[in-house]
Amino acid sequence: MSVFVRHYLRCCNKLNRICVNTRRCRTYSTAYNAELYTTTKIDKDEPTFDKILIANRGEIACRVIHTCRAMGIKTVAIHSDVDSDSLHVRLADEAVCVGPAPSAQSYLNMDVIMNAIKQTGAQAVHPGYGFLSENNEFSRRLAEAGVQFIGPPEGAIRAMGDKLESKQIAKNANVNIVPGFDGVVKNEEEAIGHAKDLGYPVMIKASAGGGGKGMRIAWNDTELREGFRLSTQEAASSFGDDRLLIEKFIDNPRHIEIQVLCDGHGNAVYLNERECSIQRRNQKVIEEAPSTFLDAKTRKAMGEQAVALAKAVDYQSAGTVEFLVDSQRNFYFLEMNTRLQVEHPITECITGIDLVHQMIRVAKGHPLSITQDDIGINGWAVECRVYAEDPYKATFGLPSIGRLYKYMEPEHIPKVRVDSGITEGSEISIYYDPMISKLVTYGSTRKEALDTMKKALDSYVIRGVTHNISLLQDVLVHPRFIDGAITTNFLPEEYPEGFKGHKLTEIEQLQLVSMATSILMRQLLKDRTFLNQTRIGCKGSPQKVLNLIVNIEKQNISVQVEDLEKSYKVIIGDRIVNVNKSWSISADLLDLEVDDQACSVQIISHDAAGNLKIQFKGTIYPINIVTTAISELQSLMPEKKKPDTSKEVISPMPGKLFSLSAQVGEKVYEGQEVCIVEAMKMHNSLHAAKTGIIKSVNFEAGDSIGEGDVIIQLE
């Protein structure tokens, strides 16, 4: 990143914590190239705003800035003090500090944000998604201040933001709805009564919620009681509104949504669908457009109902109507998101329409420049949400925090779009969503888009935090996903014991062992070479042939590797494999050829004891490689026993101890909930692994805790 000059205009006080930074003389290179994803032509002569404040952070703030730049609009970023050097702050023309790290004191602090708008002279506000994007009070306050909200009117936000009211409006607009109780569920007993009327399974949902928060599926009374309590807490924490509703859970549905775009002149269009069925904890992981499942008739019916709902609330701006679709293509209204959706890039790819550009135009009062007849489906697009999560823990991922000491996006691959808000050196903290980026690929066919995505994931270098690329890669090559036979239950059905990493096929194991032993041979030669010397500095000639034992996936494999002039010859059993030599062991990404087949790997770590960690097909494989003589000695060593942790309640993730439900001296029973850990806005219930008396409680409610910290210890 080039150096840029900062000119500080500081206007700080303890009440408002406002700091305005105006930046000049800056250049920045990024993977985002609008010409690859949209065919939108921007009319430079069309009246627009002079300055827009973006009331958000991270990748979506960067995304909005890119379109504003193309339109010639100056931008103002807001940030918490821990985000002061974030990418969106660097990209914006001005930046305002709005408070400390917790969202409630910064990105949700309306008073300070309104003060920032006034101070910077911003004429309009783009809210992105999350935070205040669907807060009708924020929209109202902006209107009272004469500032344009780049989103729908206050009434539409209020109506669609309340799931109870939105369901009734949808029903009146002849939109198909899910059966459920039309009212607020007051307590657990009432919830159980309604569940029995509807029949299990049921879905408990926060009335003001979204993004999978405050949402639980219950299959019986016990699960409903726990789900009601946790959903109430999450709803209050995330939205300041603990009201819940209950409805019939449609088993094995698809989650398909329709993008709509409306103006203030009575025009409304739908921009086709997005398939969002690959989810964990009711949050989307992989999306694609179009859906493999919809036919033209169903697509038209869903689009027309989505537009009818938007018109029923006088909707203006971009919005998304979400549906559940059963195996017979019957579809039911789920909710309407009155904002720009996270997965909007795939719609931009297949329609050529820049949704942020259209949102700004509509907010300025212009009519839509497109009609329904202008909107087609051109190609296929896939989006993978790359998270700082450990996919092997809990329900397909628990948050990971840390600093990205190495970060390289796969921008060198054609037809790849990376929407991110981070750079090398960025910090992933406990305070915000753990998404690293939205990785998007485009192709003329679904196969082309998926093949490009697999290559892009292989080429994505992320060091410093655990990430979910292994899970993403494994889903993409799953036969059921390739066939398009997916539902929202795909992950729990295909990984009933949780995700354990990619299981190597016989040929893949052969490739990985061949590459690993070739890497070791190259490393041994490097270790004997002096800097700036062409000769080998150590006594004796380097070994050209090594007989090795490779331990991988609990198997010991005998391997012979020979250093030839242009390749490494690897003999495994009766198989002979050749690995090319035109690669550098010091590179972050190694593009090798195994018997002329291209393979990409990353060396995560390597030590003198022959322990390697190699990322292949998205999964990191621990491999031990030693000579046959050393292997014989290792077999005589006693195995180290794993410590017994059954008497400890250990935090599986970094976060905050939200509550404790047990005290020192109290007897707890196996499976009993003893505490709740809040991480990335989600509440996670921890249980005792065995029956016993509590010996010590090492933290108090409200304390920050790290992954692996012992919260409670039993006698």
Side-chain angles (χ1 to χ4, degrees), residues 427-462:
E427 185 85 18
I428 306 296
S429 74
I430 65 172
Y431 298 106
Y432 311 115
D433 188 271
M435 188 165 66
I436 294 172
S437 73
K438 300 181 309 196
L439 182 62
V440 181
T441 58
Y442 173 78
S444 57
T445 64
R446 185 174 188 256
K447 183 180 185 304
E448 181 185 345
L450 290 176
D451 287 345
T452 303
M453 178 61 76
K454 287 180 282 189
K455 183 178 180 181
L457 287 169
D458 273 341
S459 303
Y460 208 150
V461 178
I462 304 170

Side-chain angles (χ1 to χ4, degrees), residues 336-581:
M336 183 175 190
N337 292 316
T338 57
R339 52 169 167 79
L340 188 65
Q341 200 82 329
V342 175
E343 57 274 16
H344 76 275
I346 55 177
T347 294
E348 294 182 329
C349 287
I350 67 166
T351 63
I353 296 169
D354 184 330
L355 291 172
V356 175
H357 174 233
Q358 294 298 325
M359 291 179 75
I360 294 172
R361 290 187 68 256
V362 169
K364 188 61 179 175
H366 299 297
L368 293 179
S369 57
I370 51 175
T371 65
Q372 194 63 57
D373 291 339
D374 298 325
I375 301 166
I377 298 176
N378 182 23
W380 213 284
V382 179
E383 174 179 291
C384 284
R385 299 192 190 189
V386 181
Y387 283 104
E389 287 183 342
D390 187 342
Y392 304 101
K393 291 183 177 180
T395 48
F396 305 100
L398 287 180
S400 171
I401 62 172
R403 184 174 296 277
L404 295 168
Y405 67 84
K406 181 69 69 175
Y407 182 74
M408 295 171 54
E409 295 173 348
E411 56 185 329
H412 61 285
I413 301 174
K415 298 183 179 180
V416 171
R417 166 176 172 174
V418 186
D419 281 19
S420 70
I422 59 173
T423 58
E424 192 167 286
S426 292
E427 185 85 18
I428 306 296
S429 74
I430 65 172
Y431 298 106
Y432 311 115
D433 188 271
M435 188 165 66
I436 294 172
S437 73
K438 300 181 309 196
L439 182 62
V440 181
T441 58
Y442 173 78
S444 57
T445 64
R446 185 174 188 256
K447 183 180 185 304
E448 181 185 345
L450 290 176
D451 287 345
T452 303
M453 178 61 76
K454 287 180 282 189
K455 183 178 180 181
L457 287 169
D458 273 341
S459 303
Y460 208 150
V461 178
I462 304 170
R463 310 281 169 78
V465 296
T466 306
H467 53 74
N468 68 330
I469 285 179
S470 56
L471 175 62
L472 298 172
Q473 279 281 38
D474 209 56
V475 171
L476 293 177
V477 299
H478 196 288
R480 186 175 153 191
F481 180 83
I482 294 172
D483 291 342
I486 58 176
T487 70
T488 56
N489 292 324
F490 176 88
L491 290 179
E493 286 175 354
E494 297 304 322
Y495 307 97
E497 302 300 320
F499 180 62
K500 306 298 182 184
H502 177 66
K503 182 64 177 176
L504 293 169
T505 64
E506 183 179 347
I507 186 63
E508 288 171 345
Q509 187 183 78
L510 180 72
Q511 291 172 336
L512 181 54
V513 170
S514 300
M515 291 186 289
T517 51
S518 299
I519 288 169
L520 179 70
M521 179 70 89
R522 176 70 64 88
Q523 183 65 49
L524 290 174
L525 179 61
K526 180 183 177 183
D527 291 344
R528 296 169 58 89
T529 306
F530 287 94
L531 188 64
N532 298 324
Q533 296 290 323
T534 56
R535 65 183 180 86
I536 301 298
C538 302
K539 286 186 177 181
S541 300
Q543 289 181 271
K544 290 291 186 179
V545 178
L546 291 175
N547 292 304
L548 305 169
I549 299 296
V550 179
N551 182 272
I552 180 173
E553 295 188 319
K554 299 180 180 180
Q555 300 178 58
N556 284 329
I557 302 173
S558 297
V559 180
Q560 184 183 87
V561 56
E562 182 177 358
D563 186 358
L564 304 178
E565 182 180 355
K566 294 184 179 181
S567 67
Y568 296 106
K569 184 172 78 171
V570 183
I571 302 175
I572 305 174
D574 59 354
R575 298 291 299 271
I576 298 177
V577 177
N578 286 286
V579 180
N580 73 319
K581 298 177 74 173

Side-chain angles (χ1 to χ4, degrees), residues 47-59:
T48 190
F49 303 105
D50 297 321
K51 185 185 291 187
I52 291 174
L53 181 142
I54 303 161
N56 217 297
R57 65 179 299 278
E59 66 85 14

